Amino acid sequence: MKLLHKLTLRSEYEEVEKLEGLLNKLQKELGFDDELYARLMLAVSEAATNAIVHGNKLDGSKKAVIEAYHDGTKLTFVTTDEGEGFEPDSLPDPIAEENLFNTSGRGVFLMKEYADEVLFEDNGRKLTLSFDLD
C-alpha cells in the first residue's frame, strides 16, 4: 500500500472541514465517482470526528492523524488519535429500539455501512476504513 496523503488535525470541531480538500485531491488523482466520494465523506468525517471528540476529548494538545493509502484496488484511510481508547464491541446497538432516539452513537454503525472494511486496533485508537475501487 502506498501512502498518498497524511492529514494531521488539531482536536477541534472545525478541523474536520479539512477532509473536503483531502477527498477532492484523492478524487482528482484516482478518478473515483461522486457516489464513492459521498461514502468517503460520510465515513471518514465520522472517523475524524470520533477521534477528535471521543478519542482526544477536544483536548487541543492532542492530534488526530488521517492517512490515505492506495494499492491499486482499494483506498484505505487509517485514523489514529491520542485518547485512552475504548472497546468497540461494547458500543450500544444504535438501531435497538431503546437507542433509536439518541442524538449520538451512530458513527461506528454508519462507518460499517459505508466502508467495505472497518478494523479497530490499539484499543480503538487506530481505525482502518477500506473502500474497494471498482
Side-chain angles (χ1 to χ4, degrees), residues 55-129:
N56 293 342
K57 308 221 183 299
L58 295 169
D59 178 342
S61 70
K62 294 181 179 178
K63 304 276 186 252
V65 176
I66 299 169
E67 296 173 325
Y69 296 89
H70 181 243
D71 72 357
T73 62
K74 255 196 306 205
L75 182 56
T76 300
F77 294 86
V78 178
T79 304
T80 54
D81 65 57
E82 299 176 32
E84 295 173 14
F86 75 107
E87 182 49 57
D89 294 333
S90 70
L91 294 173
D93 179 357
I95 58 174
E97 194 169 335
E98 68 272 14
N99 298 323
L100 286 177
F101 295 105
N102 291 354
T103 56
S104 66
R106 291 174 190 83
V108 172
F109 174 80
L110 289 171
M111 287 185 279
K112 288 179 177 177
E113 288 292 308
Y114 286 98
D116 293 301
E117 187 180 0
V118 177
L119 176 66
F120 287 97
E121 296 174 277
D122 190 24
N123 197 31
R125 286 183 288 266
K126 178 179 177 183
L127 167 63
T128 302
L129 298 174

Coordinates of all heavy atoms in Angstrom, one line a residue, residues 55-129:
G55 N -12.1 10.3 21.2 CA -10.8 9.9 21.5 C -10.0 10.9 22.2 O -9.6 10.7 23.4
N56 N -9.8 12.1 21.6 CA -9.0 13.1 22.2 C -9.8 14.1 23.1 O -9.2 15.0 23.7 CB -8.3 13.9 21.1 CG -7.3 13.1 20.4 OD1 -6.8 12.1 20.9 ND2 -6.9 13.5 19.2
K57 N -11.1 13.9 23.2 CA -11.9 14.7 24.1 C -11.7 16.2 23.9 O -11.7 17.0 24.8 CB -11.7 14.3 25.5 CG -11.9 12.8 25.8 CD -12.6 12.5 27.0 CE -12.7 11.0 27.3 NZ -13.3 10.2 26.3
L58 N -11.6 16.6 22.6 CA -11.4 18.0 22.2 C -10.2 18.7 23.0 O -10.2 19.9 23.2 CB -12.7 18.8 22.5 CG -13.9 18.4 21.6 CD1 -15.2 19.0 22.0 CD2 -13.6 18.8 20.1
D59 N -9.2 17.9 23.3 CA -8.0 18.4 24.0 C -7.1 19.0 23.0 O -6.5 18.2 22.1 CB -7.4 17.2 24.8 CG -6.1 17.6 25.5 OD1 -5.5 18.7 25.1 OD2 -5.6 16.9 26.4
G60 N -6.9 20.3 23.0 CA -6.1 21.0 21.9 C -4.7 20.5 21.9 O -4.0 20.8 20.9
S61 N -4.2 19.9 22.9 CA -2.8 19.5 22.9 C -2.6 18.1 22.2 O -1.5 17.7 21.9 CB -2.2 19.3 24.3 OG -2.9 18.2 25.0
K62 N -3.8 17.5 21.8 CA -3.7 16.2 21.2 C -4.1 16.3 19.7 O -4.9 17.2 19.3 CB -4.7 15.2 21.9 CG -4.2 14.9 23.3 CD -5.2 13.9 23.9 CE -4.7 13.5 25.3 NZ -5.6 12.6 26.0
K63 N -3.6 15.4 18.9 CA -3.8 15.4 17.4 C -4.5 14.2 17.0 O -4.4 13.1 17.6 CB -2.5 15.5 16.7 CG -1.6 16.6 17.1 CD -1.9 17.9 16.3 CE -1.0 19.0 16.6 NZ -1.5 20.1 17.4
A64 N -5.2 14.3 15.9 CA -5.8 13.1 15.2 C -5.1 13.1 13.8 O -4.9 14.2 13.2 CB -7.3 13.3 15.0
V65 N -4.7 11.9 13.4 CA -4.0 11.8 12.1 C -4.8 10.9 11.2 O -5.2 9.8 11.6 CB -2.6 11.3 12.3 CG1 -1.8 11.1 11.0 CG2 -1.7 12.2 13.2
I66 N -4.9 11.4 9.9 CA -5.6 10.6 8.9 C -4.6 10.3 7.8 O -4.1 11.3 7.2 CB -6.9 11.3 8.4 CG1 -7.8 11.5 9.6 CG2 -7.5 10.5 7.3 CD1 -9.0 12.4 9.2
E67 N -4.4 9.1 7.4 CA -3.5 8.7 6.3 C -4.3 8.0 5.3 O -5.1 7.2 5.6 CB -2.4 7.8 6.8 CG -1.5 8.5 7.8 CD -0.4 7.5 8.4 OE1 -0.8 6.3 8.6 OE2 0.7 8.0 8.7
A68 N -4.1 8.4 4.0 CA -4.8 7.8 2.9 C -3.8 6.9 2.1 O -2.8 7.4 1.7 CB -5.4 8.8 2.0
Y69 N -4.2 5.7 1.9 CA -3.3 4.7 1.2 C -4.1 4.2 0.0 O -5.3 4.1 0.0 CB -3.0 3.5 2.1 CG -2.1 3.9 3.3 CD1 -2.7 4.2 4.5 CD2 -0.7 3.8 3.2 CE1 -1.9 4.5 5.6 CE2 0.1 4.1 4.3 CZ -0.5 4.5 5.5 OH 0.2 4.8 6.6
H70 N -3.3 3.8 -1.0 CA -3.9 3.2 -2.2 C -3.0 2.0 -2.7 O -1.8 2.1 -2.7 CB -4.0 4.3 -3.3 CG -4.6 3.8 -4.6 ND1 -3.8 3.8 -5.8 CD2 -5.8 3.4 -4.9 CE1 -4.6 3.4 -6.8 NE2 -5.8 3.1 -6.3
D71 N -3.7 0.9 -3.1 CA -2.9 -0.2 -3.5 C -3.3 -0.7 -4.9 O -3.0 -1.8 -5.3 CB -3.1 -1.4 -2.5 CG -4.4 -2.1 -2.5 OD1 -5.3 -1.6 -3.3 OD2 -4.6 -3.0 -1.8
G72 N -4.0 0.1 -5.6 CA -4.5 -0.2 -7.0 C -5.9 -0.7 -7.0 O -6.6 -0.4 -7.9
T73 N -6.4 -1.4 -6.0 CA -7.8 -1.9 -6.0 C -8.6 -1.3 -4.8 O -9.8 -1.4 -4.8 CB -7.8 -3.4 -5.9 OG1 -7.2 -3.8 -4.6 CG2 -7.1 -4.1 -7.0
K74 N -7.9 -0.7 -3.8 CA -8.5 -0.3 -2.6 C -8.0 1.1 -2.2 O -6.8 1.4 -2.3 CB -8.2 -1.2 -1.4 CG -9.3 -2.1 -1.0 CD -9.1 -2.8 0.3 CE -7.8 -3.6 0.5 NZ -8.0 -4.6 1.5
L75 N -8.8 1.9 -1.6 CA -8.5 3.1 -1.0 C -8.7 2.9 0.5 O -9.8 2.6 0.9 CB -9.3 4.3 -1.5 CG -9.1 5.7 -1.0 CD1 -7.6 6.1 -1.2 CD2 -10.0 6.7 -1.7
T76 N -7.6 3.2 1.3 CA -7.7 2.9 2.8 C -7.3 4.1 3.5 O -6.4 4.8 3.2 CB -6.7 1.7 3.1 OG1 -7.1 0.6 2.4 CG2 -6.8 1.4 4.6
F77 N -8.1 4.4 4.6 CA -7.9 5.5 5.5 C -7.6 4.9 6.9 O -8.3 4.2 7.4 CB -9.1 6.4 5.6 CG -9.4 7.1 4.3 CD1 -10.2 6.5 3.3 CD2 -8.9 8.4 4.0 CE1 -10.5 7.1 2.1 CE2 -9.2 9.0 2.8 CZ -10.0 8.4 1.9
V78 N -6.5 5.4 7.4 CA -6.1 5.0 8.8 C -6.2 6.2 9.7 O -5.5 7.2 9.4 CB -4.7 4.4 8.8 CG1 -4.3 4.0 10.3 CG2 -4.6 3.1 8.0
T79 N -7.0 6.2 10.6 CA -7.2 7.4 11.6 C -6.7 6.9 12.9 O -7.1 5.9 13.5 CB -8.7 7.7 11.7 OG1 -9.2 8.0 10.3 CG2 -8.9 9.0 12.5
T80 N -5.9 7.8 13.5 CA -5.4 7.5 14.9 C -5.6 8.7 15.7 O -5.6 9.8 15.3 CB -3.8 7.1 14.8 OG1 -3.1 8.2 14.2 CG2 -3.6 5.8 14.2
D81 N -5.8 8.4 17.0 CA -5.9 9.5 18.0 C -5.0 9.2 19.2 O -4.4 8.2 19.3 CB -7.4 9.7 18.4 CG -8.0 8.5 19.2 OD1 -7.4 8.2 20.2 OD2 -9.1 8.0 18.7
E82 N -5.0 10.2 20.1 CA -4.1 10.1 21.3 C -4.9 9.9 22.5 O -4.5 10.2 23.6 CB -3.2 11.4 21.4 CG -2.3 11.6 20.2 CD -1.5 12.8 20.3 OE1 -1.2 13.3 21.4 OE2 -1.3 13.4 19.2
G83 N -6.1 9.4 22.4 CA -7.0 9.2 23.6 C -6.7 7.9 24.3 O -5.7 7.3 24.1
E84 N -7.6 7.6 25.3 CA -7.4 6.5 26.2 C -7.8 5.2 25.5 O -7.6 4.1 26.0 CB -8.1 6.7 27.5 CG -7.6 7.8 28.3 CD -8.5 8.1 29.5 OE1 -9.4 7.3 29.9 OE2 -8.3 9.2 30.1
G85 N -8.5 5.3 24.4 CA -9.1 4.1 23.7 C -10.4 3.7 24.2 O -10.9 4.3 25.2
F86 N -11.0 2.7 23.6 CA -12.3 2.2 24.0 C -12.4 0.8 23.5 O -11.6 0.3 22.6 CB -13.4 3.1 23.5 CG -13.7 3.0 22.1 CD1 -14.9 2.3 21.6 CD2 -12.8 3.5 21.1 CE1 -15.1 2.2 20.3 CE2 -13.1 3.4 19.8 CZ -14.3 2.8 19.3
E87 N -13.5 0.1 23.9 CA -13.7 -1.3 23.4 C -14.9 -1.2 22.4 O -16.0 -1.0 22.7 CB -14.2 -2.2 24.6 CG -14.4 -3.6 24.2 CD -13.3 -4.2 23.4 OE1 -12.2 -4.2 23.8 OE2 -13.7 -4.7 22.2
P88 N -14.5 -1.3 21.1 CA -15.5 -1.1 20.0 C -16.7 -2.1 20.1 O -17.8 -1.7 19.8 CB -14.7 -1.4 18.7 CG -13.3 -1.1 19.1 CD -13.2 -1.5 20.5
D89 N -16.4 -3.3 20.6 CA -17.5 -4.3 20.7 C -18.5 -3.9 21.8 O -19.6 -4.6 21.9 CB -17.0 -5.7 20.9 CG -16.2 -6.2 19.7 OD1 -16.5 -5.7 18.6 OD2 -15.3 -7.0 19.9
S90 N -18.2 -3.0 22.7 CA -19.1 -2.7 23.8 C -20.0 -1.5 23.5 O -20.8 -1.1 24.3 CB -18.2 -2.3 25.1 OG -17.6 -1.0 24.8
L91 N -20.0 -1.0 22.3 CA -20.9 0.1 21.9 C -22.3 -0.4 21.9 O -22.6 -1.5 21.4 CB -20.5 0.7 20.5 CG -19.1 1.4 20.5 CD1 -18.8 1.7 19.0 CD2 -19.1 2.6 21.4
P92 N -23.3 0.4 22.3 CA -24.7 0.0 22.2 C -25.1 0.0 20.8 O -24.6 0.7 19.9 CB -25.4 1.1 23.0 CG -24.4 2.2 23.3 CD -23.1 1.7 23.0
D93 N -26.0 -0.9 20.5 CA -26.6 -1.0 19.1 C -27.5 0.2 18.8 O -28.5 0.4 19.5 CB -27.4 -2.3 19.0 CG -28.0 -2.5 17.7 OD1 -27.9 -1.7 16.8 OD2 -28.6 -3.6 17.5
P94 N -27.1 1.0 17.8 CA -27.8 2.2 17.6 C -29.2 2.0 17.0 O -30.1 2.9 17.0 CB -26.9 3.0 16.6 CG -26.1 2.0 15.9 CD -25.9 0.9 17.0
I95 N -29.4 0.8 16.5 CA -30.8 0.5 15.9 C -31.6 -0.3 16.8 O -32.7 -0.7 16.4 CB -30.7 -0.1 14.5 CG1 -29.9 -1.4 14.5 CG2 -30.1 0.9 13.5 CD1 -29.9 -2.1 13.1
A96 N -31.2 -0.6 18.0 CA -32.0 -1.2 19.0 C -33.1 -0.2 19.4 O -32.8 1.0 19.5 CB -31.2 -1.6 20.3
E97 N -34.3 -0.6 19.7 CA -35.4 0.3 20.0 C -35.1 1.3 21.0 O -35.5 2.5 20.9 CB -36.6 -0.6 20.4 CG -37.9 0.2 20.3 CD -39.1 -0.6 20.4 OE1 -39.1 -1.8 20.1 OE2 -40.2 -0.1 20.9
E98 N -34.4 0.9 22.1 CA -34.2 1.9 23.2 C -33.1 3.0 22.8 O -33.0 4.0 23.5 CB -33.7 1.1 24.5 CG -32.3 0.5 24.4 CD -32.3 -1.0 23.8 OE1 -33.4 -1.4 23.3 OE2 -31.3 -1.6 23.9
N99 N -32.5 2.8 21.7 CA -31.4 3.8 21.3 C -31.9 4.6 20.1 O -31.1 5.5 19.6 CB -30.1 3.1 21.0 CG -29.6 2.4 22.2 OD1 -29.7 2.9 23.3 ND2 -29.0 1.2 22.0
L100 N -33.0 4.3 19.5 CA -33.4 4.9 18.2 C -33.5 6.5 18.3 O -33.2 7.2 17.3 CB -34.8 4.4 17.8 CG -34.7 3.0 17.2 CD1 -36.1 2.5 16.8 CD2 -33.8 2.9 16.0
F101 N -33.8 7.0 19.5 CA -34.0 8.5 19.6 C -32.8 9.1 20.2 O -32.8 10.3 20.5 CB -35.3 8.8 20.3 CG -36.5 8.3 19.6 CD1 -37.2 7.2 20.0 CD2 -36.9 9.0 18.4 CE1 -38.3 6.8 19.2 CE2 -38.0 8.6 17.7 CZ -38.7 7.4 18.1
N102 N -31.7 8.4 20.4 CA -30.5 9.0 20.9 C -29.9 10.0 19.9 O -30.0 9.7 18.7 CB -29.4 8.0 21.3 CG -29.8 7.1 22.5 OD1 -30.8 7.4 23.1 ND2 -29.0 6.1 22.7
T103 N -29.4 11.1 20.4 CA -28.9 12.1 19.4 C -27.4 11.8 18.9 O -26.9 12.4 18.0 CB -28.9 13.5 20.1 OG1 -28.1 13.4 21.3 CG2 -30.3 14.0 20.4
S104 N -26.8 10.8 19.5 CA -25.5 10.4 19.0 C -25.4 8.8 19.1 O -26.3 8.2 19.6 CB -24.4 11.0 19.8 OG -24.4 10.6 21.2
G105 N -24.2 8.3 18.7 CA -24.0 6.9 18.9 C -24.2 6.1 17.6 O -24.2 4.8 17.7
R106 N -24.3 6.7 16.5 CA -24.4 6.0 15.2 C -23.2 6.0 14.3 O -23.2 5.4 13.3 CB -25.6 6.6 14.4 CG -26.9 6.4 15.0 CD -28.0 7.1 14.3 NE -29.3 7.0 15.1 CZ -29.6 7.8 16.1 NH1 -28.8 8.8 16.4 NH2 -30.7 7.7 16.7
G107 N -22.1 6.6 14.8 CA -20.9 6.8 13.9 C -20.3 5.5 13.5 O -20.1 5.3 12.3
V108 N -20.1 4.6 14.4 CA -19.4 3.3 14.0 C -20.4 2.5 13.2 O -19.9 1.9 12.2 CB -19.0 2.5 15.3 CG1 -18.5 1.1 14.9 CG2 -17.9 3.3 16.0
F109 N -21.6 2.5 13.5 CA -22.6 1.9 12.6 C -22.6 2.4 11.2 O -22.6 1.6 10.3 CB -24.0 2.1 13.3 CG -25.2 1.5 12.4 CD1 -25.5 0.2 12.4 CD2 -25.9 2.4 11.6 CE1 -26.5 -0.3 11.6 CE2 -26.9 1.9 10.8 CZ -27.2 0.5 10.8
L110 N -22.6 3.7 11.1 CA -22.5 4.3 9.7 C -21.2 4.0 9.0 O -21.3 3.7 7.8 CB -22.7 5.8 9.8 CG -24.1 6.3 10.2 CD1 -24.1 7.8 10.5 CD2 -25.1 5.9 9.1
M111 N -20.1 4.0 9.7 CA -18.9 3.6 9.0 C -18.9 2.2 8.5 O -18.5 1.9 7.4 CB -17.7 3.8 10.0 CG -17.3 5.2 10.2 SD -15.9 5.5 11.3 CE -16.5 5.2 12.9
K112 N -19.5 1.3 9.3 CA -19.6 -0.1 8.9 C -20.6 -0.2 7.7 O -20.4 -1.1 6.8 CB -20.1 -1.0 10.0 CG -19.0 -1.2 11.1 CD -19.5 -2.0 12.2 CE -18.3 -2.3 13.2 NZ -18.8 -3.0 14.4
E113 N -21.6 0.7 7.6 CA -22.5 0.6 6.4 C -21.8 1.1 5.2 O -22.1 0.6 4.1 CB -23.7 1.5 6.7 CG -24.7 0.9 7.8 CD -25.4 -0.4 7.3 OE1 -26.0 -0.3 6.2 OE2 -25.3 -1.4 7.9
Y114 N -21.0 2.1 5.3 CA -20.5 2.8 4.1 C -19.1 2.3 3.6 O -18.7 2.4 2.5 CB -20.4 4.3 4.3 CG -21.8 4.9 4.2 CD1 -22.5 5.2 5.4 CD2 -22.4 5.2 3.0 CE1 -23.8 5.7 5.3 CE2 -23.7 5.7 2.9 CZ -24.4 6.0 4.1 OH -25.7 6.5 4.0
A115 N -18.3 1.8 4.6 CA -16.9 1.3 4.2 C -17.1 -0.2 3.9 O -18.0 -0.9 4.4 CB -16.0 1.5 5.3
D116 N -16.2 -0.7 3.0 CA -16.2 -2.1 2.7 C -15.5 -2.9 3.8 O -15.8 -4.1 3.9 CB -15.5 -2.3 1.4 CG -16.3 -1.7 0.2 OD1 -17.4 -2.1 0.0 OD2 -15.7 -0.8 -0.5
E117 N -14.6 -2.3 4.6 CA -14.0 -3.0 5.7 C -13.7 -1.9 6.8 O -13.3 -0.8 6.5 CB -12.7 -3.6 5.2 CG -12.0 -4.5 6.2 CD -10.7 -5.1 5.7 OE1 -10.3 -4.8 4.5 OE2 -10.0 -5.8 6.5
V118 N -14.0 -2.3 8.0 CA -13.7 -1.5 9.2 C -12.9 -2.3 10.2 O -13.3 -3.4 10.6 CB -15.0 -1.0 9.9 CG1 -14.8 -0.2 11.1 CG2 -15.9 -0.2 8.8
L119 N -11.8 -1.8 10.7 CA -10.9 -2.5 11.6 C -10.5 -1.6 12.7 O -9.9 -0.5 12.4 CB -9.7 -3.1 10.8 CG -8.7 -3.8 11.6 CD1 -9.2 -5.1 12.3 CD2 -7.5 -4.1 10.8
F120 N -10.7 -2.0 13.9 CA -10.2 -1.2 15.1 C -9.0 -1.9 15.6 O -9.0 -3.2 15.8 CB -11.3 -1.1 16.2 CG -12.4 -0.2 15.9 CD1 -13.6 -0.6 15.4 CD2 -12.2 1.2 16.1 CE1 -14.6 0.2 15.1 CE2 -13.3 2.1 15.8 CZ -14.5 1.6 15.3
E121 N -8.0 -1.2 16.0 CA -6.7 -1.7 16.6 C -6.3 -0.8 17.7 O -6.9 0.3 17.9 CB -5.6 -1.8 15.6 CG -5.9 -2.8 14.4 CD -4.9 -2.7 13.3 OE1 -4.9 -1.8 12.5 OE2 -3.9 -3.6 13.4
D122 N -5.3 -1.2 18.4 CA -4.7 -0.4 19.5 C -5.8 0.1 20.5 O -5.9 1.3 20.8 CB -3.9 0.8 18.9 CG -3.1 1.5 20.0 OD1 -2.8 0.9 21.0 OD2 -2.8 2.7 19.8
N123 N -6.6 -0.8 20.9 CA -7.7 -0.5 21.9 C -8.6 0.6 21.4 O -9.1 1.5 22.1 CB -7.1 0.0 23.2 CG -8.1 -0.1 24.4 OD1 -9.0 -0.9 24.4 ND2 -7.9 0.8 25.3
G124 N -8.9 0.6 20.1 CA -9.8 1.6 19.5 C -9.2 2.9 19.1 O -9.8 3.8 18.5
R125 N -7.9 3.1 19.3 CA -7.2 4.4 19.0 C -6.8 4.4 17.5 O -6.5 5.5 17.0 CB -6.0 4.6 19.9 CG -6.3 5.0 21.3 CD -5.0 5.2 22.1 NE -4.3 4.0 22.4 CZ -4.5 3.3 23.5 NH1 -5.3 3.7 24.4 NH2 -3.8 2.1 23.6
K126 N -6.8 3.3 16.9 CA -6.5 3.2 15.4 C -7.6 2.6 14.7 O -8.1 1.5 15.0 CB -5.2 2.4 15.2 CG -4.8 2.2 13.8 CD -3.5 1.4 13.7 CE -3.1 1.2 12.2 NZ -1.9 0.3 12.1
L127 N -8.1 3.3 13.7 CA -9.3 2.8 12.9 C -8.9 2.8 11.4 O -8.4 3.8 10.9 CB -10.5 3.8 13.1 CG -11.6 3.7 12.1 CD1 -12.3 2.3 12.2 CD2 -12.6 4.8 12.3
T128 N -9.1 1.6 10.8 CA -8.8 1.5 9.4 C -10.1 1.3 8.6 O -10.9 0.4 9.0 CB -7.9 0.3 9.1 OG1 -6.7 0.5 9.9 CG2 -7.6 0.1 7.7
L129 N -10.4 2.2 7.7 CA -11.5 2.1 6.8 C -11.0 1.8 5.4 O -10.2 2.6 4.9 CB -12.3 3.4 6.8 CG -12.9 3.9 8.1 CD1 -13.5 5.3 7.9 CD2 -14.0 3.0 8.6

